[in-house]
Amino acid sequence: MMEKIAHGSDVTHHYLRPKKKFPNVWCAGCGNGIVMGALIRSIDRLDLDKDNVAVVSGIGCSSRMPVYLDFNTLHTTHGRALAFATGVKIAKPNLTVIVITGDGDALAIGGNHFIHTCRRNINITTILIDNRIYGMTGGQFAPTTPGGSFATTAPYGNYEKQFDVVKLAIGAGASYVARGTVYHVQQLEKLIEAGIKKKGFSVVDVVSNCHTYYGRFNKEGDAVEMLSWMKKHAMPIEAVRKIPPEKMKGKFVTGLIHEHDATEFTHEYQMMVDRLAQKEAEK
Amino acid sequence: MKRSGIGKARLLQGNEACVRGALYAGVEFFAGYPITPSTEVAEAMARELPRNGGKFIQMEDEIASIAAVIGASNAGCKAMTATSGPGYSLMQENIGYAYMTETPCVIINVQRGGPSTGLPTKIAQSDTMQARWGTHGDYTAIAVAPSTVKECFEETVRAFNLSERFRTPVTVLSDEVLGHMREMMVIPEKGELEVTERHKPDVPHEWYKHFEISPSFVSPMASFGEGYRYNVTGLTHDEDGFPTANPIEIKNKMEKLRFKIERFADEIHKIRMDMMDDAHFTVVSYGSVSRAARQAVTMARERRIKVGAIQLRTIWPFPDMKLREMFAGVRKVIVAELNMGQLVNEIKRVAPRHTEVFSLARYDGEVMTPHQILEKIREVIK
Amino acid sequence: MTAANGKKHGKKEQTDRYEIRLSGSGGQGLILAGVILATAIGVGDGKNAVQTQSYGPEARGGASRADVVVSEQEIYYPKTMKLDLLLALTQEACDRYYPDMKEGGILVIDTSLVTQVPTKKYYGFPFVRLAREEIGHAMVANVIALGAIAELAGIVTKESLKEAVLERAPRGTEEKNEKALELGFKIAREAKRKA
């Protein structure tokens, strides 16, 4: 069991692995560290036992996160984190299962697993760190790279269409869909915390910065400039509801965008098992 | 029903016997995707597991199926999947992950003709080499192969045992004919067959190394939720499971993946011999082909040909030494297989100089018949 | 390692090996009949039995067949090699599988469906018509055929076959199935007497 520690970096350190992992692999100013901090504080607020938290990830910059975290951690293959996590959750439903993934990991190579995990509405929380590019392989375009943007595999500008993660997750059946940014850290913490609490599949899309590639290729500046852009262009859902749609041009919605109550996979499975056992007993 | 003759004998389908074997071995988790000719395994699991305290899930594809299996295994379950060629191809990525992360799991491959979609309803043994070299990188694979319905049961139990003992994925190489045939078998009583349980750590949490390099080669395995909070990664890692670029640690890891199995290879090998005592000639095969071989050898013996049959129940690791010993008095070996010649190259590799090796390959989707083998025997002994 | 002694097995040709094929078209319940027969022989009589079937596109809709191999000893080759008994419920099945028969093997056909029989030595019964007219249910034609086969081939005891049939019979149809089986025994017995 954990001993509770009051504030700041003490909290963070309580959930980090001290041995042989630091410095981390991320570029200075990367949003991944901010998300990791937010995740740690959400878990701390929820007072979860470290032994009962499993963090699963795929491949990519963001997916390197679990190795730093002092939980049960599974760093898997590219795109497959949700499928592995599904196995963990069904095997031990009492574990809190959190998936860390990126836009390429979850939406390109892992797109099929993403929509099917949404559909099953299994009690897993997915934090999708969305930096609009493949960082680890050096800046190729992703399914989230905006049209006209530059990437090493889009040297003349990206001519593909993009996924809207939020719409995709809602359409596929996730019972909790939110968007935060690495600038709005307090909001992000709350969104993650509520996502973990929600019984069902939760998606938290986190707008993040890859100044190393995306920022550089598209003249969006360094980490600070990219975070400033988020500050200017993020619109909380509460505000969005009050303004006419044309005023949303160039902006993006943040906050808890969708929530509904639906039957959860492991619960339904247990209900079936109980029904069978009762039938058997009646015989 | 009144059962005279063989005690509690029952008529079981090969695929169903795999399921019974898995339940006997204590399977707790199955994830799969429907594919002919393996689907009966998933169907029986969907019926049985919820009533036996286990978990069943039909995933969105084979990649996800084996991923879920590995996830469940790390959460402490004896876990398995079943598939056929195309699905086995899709699974290779994560089977590699299981090798690297030393995660026990069982894959039943009810083989059909390939490549690609190939022959969904017809027999083949064309995944023989894929079971050994299917995923990228170096590792030592274990694959076992039944030839009867009873052996479907036994080899599935053995696959679980080997998987748990060596912390590695194990493939059961079945085939379409075997999977769909119904045959008599007696389900063993509890305790009759050995069932191996996962070796758990007995050290305090902070001492635990998930990938410890130990004198016993195979490290104990804790599960998620037991307080050990270890890291698992497909990146080459150190004993703690953290990614490494250190050449010594890399080398140690690679050698562990190989020697934890190869050092105990003679405990993994299983071979059935028929009429081999005085044999100058022999037919080597595995799976349902071995039954045609036994029949052919019986027929050849009628014609006073001194021929025997060798059935490999362990395909990988390949029983080099054992076969070399068996070939001591053998002049000619026929390797009968339902592919264009995969096993034959292994036999050529291990055969002593005095032993000539002949290939009898069939790859038209049809079964190997006893007459075909008999004909080959008569041809080579001339 | 299981090593079988060469000398002991040297002369073990399976002389008692008996091969049966039940053939016709999809929907005639032939696979089920094969399973019932193998169960009766294996579970009931304690012999070895292997049941195989053609599987795949050809098994859908069109042709259907189930093979059963019976032996007191271990059955090596699970598929049929030369048929001791062929049941053909369609002309197509009869034409296709007649060449697979052993010399002196028993051919059993449905006389209302097979009109051109390639030999004079055969047993013909109107299974489907009998099922409809005598039992009142066309679905039990396969059971009548099983009864006839049991009587003609003598490779399964009637008690075991009856048990296996009743075990598989849907609830409420037990009586009809039993009647069908008895009818099968009877018509074959009479045919044997005449032959």
Side-chain angles (χ1 to χ4, degrees):
Chain A
M1 280 302 290
M2 64 173 129
E3 59 283 16
K4 290 292 291 179
I5 297 157
H7 297 294
S9 73
D10 286 349
V11 172
T12 308
H13 283 98
H14 177 69
Y15 293 95
L16 293 178
R17 286 173 169 147
K19 227 167 79 185
K20 210 191 157 180
K21 270 74 53 190
F22 292 95
N24 63 45
V25 296
W26 300 320
C27 305
C30 178
N32 288 340
I34 298 170
V35 180
M36 184 159 80
L39 171 65
I40 285 173
R41 289 185 295 276
S42 324
I43 289 175
D44 187 66
R45 265 213 294 270
L46 288 165
D47 204 13
L48 299 176
D49 185 337
K50 287 201 279 191
D51 291 344
N52 290 331
V53 176
V55 183
V56 184
S57 70
I59 293 293
C61 293
S62 53
S63 289
R64 283 298 193 101
M65 190 184 294
V67 75
Y68 308 114
L69 295 168
D70 190 18
F71 301 114
N72 305 282
T73 55
L74 196 63
H75 175 227
T76 70
T77 46
H78 197 20
R80 320 296 174 209
L82 285 165
F84 281 89
T86 298
V88 172
K89 184 69 190 177
I90 296 171
K92 273 204 177 137
N94 65 321
L95 293 177
T96 298
V97 180
I98 295 159
V99 168
I100 309 293
T101 180
D103 43 318
D105 195 49
L107 303 176
I109 189 165
N112 197 28
H113 310 308
F114 182 77
I115 55 172
H116 284 279
T117 320
C118 289
R119 175 179 63 80
R120 280 185 202 108
N121 198 39
I122 186 165
N123 196 7
I124 292 171
T125 302
T126 290
I127 300 172
L128 196 159
I129 305 181
D130 184 354
N131 61 4
R132 298 175 291 171
I133 203 150
Y134 286 90
M136 187 148 270
T137 46
Q140 298 74 36
F141 76 86
T144 46
T145 305
S149 293
F150 294 96
T152 59
T153 47
Y156 311 116
N158 182 21
Y159 42 81
E160 288 203 10
K161 298 279 188 291
Q162 296 71 50
F163 267 141
D164 180 327
V165 186
V166 167
K167 282 185 186 161
L168 184 65
I170 296 170
S175 62
Y176 177 101
V177 184
R179 184 186 280 132
T181 85
V182 291
Y183 175 80
H184 306 84
V185 181
Q186 287 182 327
Q187 179 200 38
L188 180 60
E189 273 175 47
K190 282 181 196 141
L191 293 174
I192 294 173
E193 190 183 331
I196 295 172
K197 269 207 261 195
K198 177 77 187 179
K199 202 165 188 252
F201 188 58
S202 306
V203 178
V204 181
D205 180 41
V206 187
V207 177
S208 187
N209 58 300
C210 178
H211 47 284
T212 305
Y213 294 114
Y214 192 84
R216 190 153 53 89
F217 295 157
N218 293 288
K219 302 200 165 45
E220 288 195 8
D222 59 11
V224 175
E225 279 175 80
M226 291 185 83
L227 263 68
S228 306
W229 180 89
M230 290 174 207
K231 181 187 175 186
K232 277 186 215 130
H233 293 84
M235 278 281 248
I237 183 82
E238 297 78 10
V240 172
R241 286 186 179 127
K242 285 177 200 150
I243 59 164
E246 59 270 21
K247 282 208 172 169
M248 276 300 290
K249 206 161 176 221
K251 309 255 183 179
F252 63 93
V253 193
T254 61
L256 171 53
I257 299 166
H258 172 88
E259 189 176 13
H260 75 279
D261 290 322
T263 53
E264 190 273 331
F265 183 94
T266 58
H267 176 73
E268 287 299 299
Y269 189 91
Q270 192 53 47
M271 298 274 280
M272 171 185 69
V273 167
D274 294 345
R275 272 200 311 274
L276 288 170
Q278 203 181 340
K279 253 192 187 168
E280 202 74 14
E282 282 166 10
K283 262 185 202 168
Chain B
M1 168 154 208
K2 180 192 82 213
R3 290 179 177 90
S4 58
I6 325 169
K8 270 172 287 171
R10 60 177 95 183
L11 191 73
L12 272 185
Q13 204 180 33
N15 282 342
E16 210 180 332
C18 287
V19 173
R20 297 273 158 202
L23 290 166
Y24 187 93
V27 67
E28 295 162 291
F29 184 94
F30 179 97
Y33 187 79
I35 182 168
T36 305
S38 78
T39 308
E40 294 82 6
V41 178
E43 288 171 342
M45 282 295 182
R47 279 194 306 271
E48 296 300 329
L49 280 175
R51 297 190 303 175
N52 288 284
K55 308 286 170 72
F56 169 89
I57 184 168
Q58 181 172 311
M59 294 299 284
E60 53 272 20
D61 57 30
E62 286 90 348
I63 301 170
S65 300
I66 184 73
V69 162
I70 296 166
S73 184
N74 273 287
C77 289
K78 284 191 174 178
M80 71 173 280
T81 186
T83 189
S84 186
Y88 196 53
S89 294
L90 282 175
M91 287 180 185
Q92 289 304 328
E93 171 197 42
N94 285 334
I95 292 175
Y97 182 84
Y99 284 122
M100 181 57 111
T101 60
E102 305 186 43
T103 305
C105 57
V106 170
I107 305 112
I108 293 177
N109 179 355
V110 188
Q111 296 177 88
R112 66 191 225 188
S116 191
T117 312
L119 302 162
T121 59
K122 287 187 172 276
I123 189 174
Q125 296 179 316
S126 42
D127 302 344
T128 309
M129 279 294 159
Q130 197 186 11
R132 174 62 189 90
W133 299 109
T135 195
H136 56 276
D138 261 325
Y139 50 91
T140 292
I142 301 180
V144 297
S147 77
T148 65
V149 168
K150 180 167 171 273
E151 288 173 10
C152 283
F153 184 100
E154 292 167 355
E155 289 306 324
T156 305
V157 174
R158 199 159 76 92
F160 271 99
N161 289 349
L162 294 170
S163 171
E164 295 293 336
R165 176 177 168 195
F166 294 106
R167 273 186 65 174
T168 192
V170 174
T171 300
V172 179
L173 283 173
S174 179
D175 60 55
E176 187 278 324
V177 167
L178 201 45
H180 286 147
M181 76 164 66
R182 290 183 181 84
E183 194 168 20
M184 299 306 301
M185 79 160 286
V186 183
I187 304 240
E189 298 285 342
K190 213 176 155 192
E192 217 173 294
L193 297 183
E194 184 197 331
V195 170
T196 307
E197 298 303 332
R198 200 170 291 184
H199 184 32
K200 291 284 188 178
D202 49 11
V203 293
H205 295 171
E206 60 276 18
W207 282 66
Y208 177 67
K209 288 177 185 299
H210 191 59
F211 299 102
E212 186 180 18
I213 292 178
S214 69
S216 64
F217 288 81
V218 184
S219 23
M221 183 173 175
S223 304
F224 282 2
E226 291 178 347
Y228 291 90
R229 298 200 306 270
Y230 55 88
N231 185 55
V232 179
T233 177
L235 287 163
T236 306
H237 44 259
D238 62 15
E239 291 180 78
D240 284 306
F242 299 127
T244 182
N246 176 331
I248 295 167
E249 287 177 344
I250 294 168
K251 191 165 176 278
N252 283 344
K253 175 74 197 186
M254 296 307 293
E255 288 174 356
K256 186 187 182 200
L257 291 186
R258 173 177 224 171
F259 293 122
K260 72 171 179 180
I261 293 165
E262 289 190 359
R263 185 160 179 276
F264 302 97
D266 55 346
E267 293 171 42
I268 304 169
H269 293 150
K270 197 167 183 183
I271 297 173
R272 169 173 168 169
M273 293 187 293
D274 284 274
M275 294 160 263
M276 276 299 292
D277 284 359
D278 58 345
H280 295 161
F281 313 100
T282 181
V283 183
V284 180
S285 62
Y286 84 87
S288 57
V289 177
S290 295
R291 306 184 60 155
R294 286 197 273 275
Q295 190 79 48
V297 163
T298 312
M299 285 151 66
R301 285 271 172 181
E302 286 288 305
R303 292 158 180 81
R304 296 167 194 247
I305 302 169
K306 286 194 170 180
V307 58
I310 291 175
Q311 179 206 347
L312 304 180
R313 281 177 75 161
T314 305
I315 310 295
W316 308 113
F318 204 70
D320 292 22
M321 294 307 288
K322 282 219 167 102
L323 283 174
R324 227 166 259 158
E325 282 164 28
M326 287 172 191
F327 290 161
V330 173
R331 295 210 298 269
K332 289 174 181 181
V333 176
I334 295 165
V335 183
E337 53 187 328
L338 294 172
N339 52 53
M340 297 184 89
Q342 297 189 18
L343 211 56
V344 67
N345 295 318
E346 292 298 304
I347 300 290
K348 279 182 182 161
R349 189 174 56 73
V350 305
R353 217 174 274 174
H354 67 263
T355 307
E356 249 187 299
V357 179
F358 299 86
S359 171
L360 177 58
R362 183 160 198 174
Y363 38 85
D364 60 356
E366 297 297 318
V367 293
M368 184 82 73
T369 65
H371 290 99
Q372 200 181 350
I373 298 173
L374 181 63
E375 203 177 305
K376 187 77 181 177
I377 293 171
R378 294 165 99 172
E379 179 194 315
V380 307
I381 62 169
K382 265 180 204 158
Chain C
M1 205 188 300
T2 35
N5 184 296
K7 284 178 192 102
K8 229 191 280 171
H9 287 252
K11 284 183 182 169
K12 210 178 116 185
E13 174 98 28
Q14 286 174 333
T15 45
D16 72 324
R17 190 181 163 104
Y18 198 91
E19 303 186 350
I20 301 162
R21 175 166 299 161
L22 313 177
S23 65
S25 65
Q28 289 180 321
L30 291 164
I31 306 287
L32 178 62
V35 174
I36 289 172
L37 185 59
T39 306
I41 293 166
V43 180
D45 294 346
K47 288 186 196 171
N48 283 311
V50 185
Q51 182 267 328
T52 57
Q53 63 208 53
S54 65
Y55 188 87
E58 75 167 304
R60 311 253 148 90
S64 170
R65 78 175 216 222
D67 290 358
V68 178
V69 177
V70 185
S71 176
E72 292 274 3
Q73 292 157 345
E74 180 184 354
I75 295 168
Y76 290 158
Y77 188 57
K79 296 249 173 183
T80 49
M81 294 187 287
K82 277 286 174 200
L83 302 172
D84 293 278
L85 187 145
L86 171 66
L87 169 74
L89 294 188
T90 62
Q91 184 68 51
E92 191 199 344
C94 186
D95 296 345
R96 196 197 288 188
Y97 301 128
Y98 177 70
D100 295 344
M101 285 186 68
K102 197 180 267 179
E103 210 179 320
I106 303 169
L107 174 65
V108 183
I109 57 148
D110 186 311
T111 44
S112 47
L113 297 165
V114 181
T115 48
Q116 292 176 302
V117 191
T119 171
K120 280 183 194 161
K121 291 201 303 194
Y122 69 92
Y123 289 97
F125 308 101
F127 294 119
V128 177
R129 189 172 59 77
L130 285 172
R132 212 181 297 118
E133 290 172 6
E134 303 281 319
I135 314 294
H137 209 315
M139 290 300 287
V140 294
N142 60 348
V143 178
I144 303 178
L146 274 181
I149 289 168
E151 182 67 44
L152 295 171
I155 33 92
V156 59
T157 63
K158 288 177 184 173
E159 298 73 40
S160 296
L161 189 59
K162 196 159 112 185
E163 266 188 87
V165 165
L166 293 181
E167 198 179 61
R168 288 282 182 153
R171 198 170 292 172
T173 68
E174 291 91 342
E175 210 179 308
K176 274 187 180 152
N177 275 286
E178 199 175 337
K179 244 175 95 183
L181 193 65
E182 294 292 349
L183 180 61
F185 295 152
K186 194 180 119 210
I187 55 173
R189 204 161 46 231
E190 283 165 4
K192 258 197 326 200
R193 212 176 295 142
K194 278 183 212 158

